[in-house]
Amino acid sequence: MTRRSVLLALGGASLLAACGNDTTQWHAGGELPGDSHSGEASADPTPSVIPSVAPPTPGHCPAIPGAGTPRRGGPQYYLPCKDTQIALTVDDGPDPQYTPRMLALLAKHDIRATFCMIGRAAAAHPDLVKQVVAAGHHVANHTYTHPLDLTKQSAAQIRAELHRATDAISTASGGHQPTLFRAPGGAWSSAVLSECGTLGMRPLDWSVDPRDWSRPGVQHIVDTILTRTRPGAIILEHDGGGDRDQTLSALTIALPRLLDAGYTFAQP
């Protein structure tokens, strides 16, 4: 069992009980120090087998530890369970090649997502930021430069990463102020959470991670999404940071199947 699996099994409440300890760190995400967003090229065949989707049961929410009830100030791993609701989050953009394709795919299925944007990418592509906002998607702060481990930064560096990203997103979008923050790699610490709170943002994590940034193959991404999604799930995908053809191909398969199974997409 991976460390992230252990943390999720313990649930949000037990994980976040140590928020007041300045030395506590959490590496709950799929990207850890040393990971690279570019990934290695891998075989990318059309999935030969598409797994079935466990449909949501009306009037029933699975017993997920900490689902939708994170300790005050701590990261959110799940939506509050409302029978059929799940969320899609899209990280590391905007990207001129992949963000427009992601927007077109989401528009086709009338899905609203949350785009966790890197500040310097938002500053470089303000028109894309405006398009994301105009389409009804949320834009979250994902730091300015995407350091691999924010918890190893000084308090001043953490503050600069968050503040600069918010300023860049606000300027690019024409005034949109992020209300959500996602730490790169899910690397949380009390200092990161404190600065997040100072800016009036809620910390957002995830519960379904196909590690699409590493380009593991369309089959792997589709399998992970369709077999692990349950009511309340927050799915992690990417539209920036490298070649995202596999991500888009996988979502083209997975999203309509989730909708056909009865899931509805909400925003955290």
Side-chain angles (χ1 to χ4, degrees):
M1 179 177 287
T2 64
R3 186 177 181 187
R4 177 170 175 81
S5 298
V6 173
L7 292 178
L8 290 177
L10 292 174
S14 60
L15 171 64
L16 299 168
C19 281
N21 184 346
D22 288 339
T23 63
T24 301
Q25 298 181 358
W26 303 278
H27 295 284
E31 305 163 45
L32 296 176
D35 283 346
S36 168
H37 269 172
S38 61
E40 296 295 332
S42 59
D44 185 19
T46 301
S48 56
V49 177
I50 299 175
S52 59
V53 183
T57 303
H60 172 72
C61 288
I64 304 174
T69 57
R71 184 175 293 273
R72 182 177 177 84
Q76 179 180 359
Y77 296 91
Y78 302 91
L79 297 178
C81 189
K82 295 183 179 179
D83 295 350
T84 65
Q85 288 188 352
I86 56 177
L88 176 65
T89 60
V90 185
D91 285 17
D92 293 357
D95 179 273
Q97 181 175 358
Y98 295 106
T99 301
R101 291 169 60 189
M102 183 69 73
L103 287 173
L105 177 61
L106 297 177
K108 177 180 179 180
H109 297 292
D110 196 25
I111 291 172
R112 303 294 178 270
T114 298
F115 285 75
C116 303
M117 292 188 178
I118 298 173
R120 64 184 177 188
H125 305 290
D127 289 345
L128 290 178
V129 181
K130 291 183 177 71
Q131 289 176 37
V132 170
V133 173
H137 304 290
H138 282 178
V139 176
N141 181 319
H142 196 39
T143 71
Y144 190 80
T145 67
H146 198 283
L148 285 179
D149 190 350
L150 194 60
T151 68
K152 293 184 177 179
Q153 306 288 311
S154 68
Q157 289 171 321
I158 293 171
R159 186 174 305 114
E161 284 285 347
L162 273 64
H163 280 254
R164 290 183 70 194
T166 285
D167 289 345
I169 291 168
S170 178
T171 299
S173 65
H176 174 80
Q177 292 288 323
T179 59
L180 297 169
F181 170 71
R182 171 167 282 168
W188 302 102
S189 70
S190 56
V192 174
L193 291 169
S194 176
E195 196 58 44
C196 179
T198 297
L199 277 174
M201 296 185 293
R202 290 189 291 114
L204 178 67
D205 209 273
W206 59 84
S207 53
V208 177
D209 179 11
R211 295 178 69 85
D212 66 302
W213 60 268
S214 67
R215 296 162 62 193
V218 175
Q219 181 80 60
H220 174 85
I221 300 170
V222 170
D223 287 352
T224 302
I225 294 172
L226 296 186
T227 61
R228 298 186 185 179
T229 295
R230 297 292 185 274
I234 297 176
I235 303 167
L236 172 63
E237 298 291 333
H238 295 77
D239 67 335
D243 183 339
R244 299 294 166 243
D245 283 330
Q246 290 185 8
T247 299
L248 286 157
S249 295
L251 288 178
T252 298
I253 296 168
L255 293 180
R257 281 164 175 78
L258 291 171
L259 292 169
D260 288 345
Y263 286 99
T264 56
F265 284 84
Q267 293 167 315

